[in-house]
Amino acid sequence: MKTYGLVGKNIDYSFSRTYFTKKFNRENIAAEYKNFDLEEINQFPQILQNNPGISGLNVTIPYKQAVIPFLDKLSADAEKIGAVNTIKIEKDQTLTGHNTDFIGFKESIQALLEAHHKKALILGTGGASKAVAYTLEDLGIQYKFVSRKAGNDRLDYAAIDKKLLQEFSIIVNCTPLGTFPAVEKHPPLPFQYINSSHLVYDLIYNPESTKLMDLARKQGARVSNGLKMLELQAEAAWRIWNS
């Protein structure tokens, strides 16, 4: 039986373990999927030492960037993005880092885009936001990062006003704000300036409809959670492990 798993911190909620366990049962695949919950990334080598037959790994927050020094090489996409969410164990036991987040995001958002969706605000600056930015660039969509503190390449939330939201009609939440169980939390946006021209895409999938999505929907915006992205990135990871 092959073993696959997820590397992260506080990952009992794990989408990946549930998704792949169902997939293995449904498709009669002789494999198991484990959570490898690490207090710190320096524990990463122990996973491979203690599980010599492991066949592939996913990586989630907060280690999508921190895991890179432990890998032997990166795919071209992962190198450009600067974050890894999939690790392939090669035949010679070397580790190659890949990023399938951008595949899942691209395939899921394309169906939602309209002609006027030319500019996007990316909320958050972690590993997932890098994959989102890479995708938007590939789609020819301009973007700006938004964080709690302004910097050379990012706005703070106080900078988001009516004028900015008239220009930026896509909002992508890459922060954990609103994730179960803290479902009442949401990024501090001026929702009164959001309208039916906006697309609000929240990478969170639990709950199915976040507070951000609820507030944006009330203003007439089109909204989406991150479930489809997660499903698509998981299948892309499976193809990489078996290629």
Side-chain angles (χ1 to χ4, degrees), residues 23 25 68 72 100 116 134 158 180 195 202 205 219 230 238:
K23 176 182 175 67
N25 290 334
I68 291 175
D72 297 293
T100 65
H116 66 276
Y134 180 75
F180 181 85
N195 55 48
D202 198 332
Y205 68 95
Q219 296 298 118
L230 284 168
W238 181 248

Side-chain angles (χ1 to χ4, degrees), residues 1-242:
M1 179 179 285
K2 291 184 176 182
T3 298
Y4 301 88
L6 177 68
V7 179
K9 187 174 184 178
N10 300 325
I11 50 175
D12 282 344
Y13 63 88
S14 173
F15 163 87
S16 297
R17 183 170 62 183
T18 301
Y19 182 84
F20 279 107
T21 298
K22 287 181 178 178
K23 176 182 175 67
F24 296 157
N25 290 334
R26 184 176 64 249
E27 300 179 19
N28 294 315
I29 296 169
E32 62 178 349
Y33 194 98
K34 296 181 177 180
N35 279 353
F36 297 105
D37 208 314
L38 306 183
E39 275 300 310
E40 54 183 39
I41 194 58
N42 289 339
Q43 298 171 311
F44 176 76
Q46 296 172 21
I47 295 174
L48 301 171
Q49 291 168 9
N50 298 335
N51 300 271
I54 204 155
S55 300
L57 292 166
N58 292 124
V59 185
T60 190
I61 52 175
Y63 300 134
K64 291 185 180 186
Q65 294 162 270
V67 76
I68 291 175
F70 295 89
L71 308 179
D72 297 293
K73 58 190 175 194
L74 299 178
S75 70
D77 291 319
E79 191 164 5
K80 289 175 184 174
I81 293 167
V84 164
N85 78 319
T86 300
I87 299 172
K88 181 176 182 180
I89 291 88
E90 306 287 356
K91 291 179 181 178
D92 61 1
Q93 296 304 298
T94 57
L95 307 179
T96 303
H98 295 260
N99 191 301
T100 65
D101 279 337
F102 88 93
I103 297 172
F105 180 65
K106 183 178 182 180
E107 292 183 8
S108 59
I109 198 172
Q110 275 184 304
L112 306 174
L113 294 173
E114 297 180 42
H116 66 276
H117 289 139
K118 302 293 186 185
K119 294 186 178 182
L121 296 175
I122 302 174
L123 312 183
T125 55
S129 73
K130 296 181 184 302
V132 166
Y134 180 75
T135 303
L136 293 174
E137 202 168 308
D138 186 52
L139 292 171
I141 296 171
Q142 297 179 46
Y143 61 86
K144 286 186 181 293
F145 288 106
V146 180
S147 188
R148 285 171 292 182
K149 293 183 180 180
N152 291 335
D153 62 343
R154 67 193 68 176
L155 307 171
D156 61 12
Y157 284 97
I160 303 176
D161 56 14
K162 182 178 182 179
K163 183 179 178 182
L164 192 76
L165 285 175
Q166 285 175 336
E167 185 180 357
F168 289 80
S169 56
I170 304 171
I171 300 170
V172 185
N173 179 37
C174 301
T175 79
L177 291 172
T179 305
F180 181 85
V183 296
E184 289 303 308
K185 293 187 176 182
H186 60 81
L189 301 176
F191 288 93
Q192 67 270 29
Y193 303 132
I194 290 175
N195 55 48
S196 59
S197 69
H198 287 92
L199 167 61
V200 177
Y201 191 114
D202 198 332
L203 266 59
I204 293 169
Y205 68 95
N206 184 14
E208 185 177 335
S209 185
T210 63
K211 189 71 172 180
L212 170 65
M213 292 168 61
D214 291 343
L215 291 169
R217 189 186 288 110
K218 285 179 181 177
Q219 296 298 118
R222 187 171 190 179
V223 300
S224 176
N225 65 20
L227 183 59
K228 191 65 177 176
M229 171 183 169
L230 284 168
E231 293 171 346
L232 291 165
Q233 67 81 22
E235 288 300 324
W238 181 248
R239 292 193 296 272
I240 286 169
W241 293 333
N242 291 280

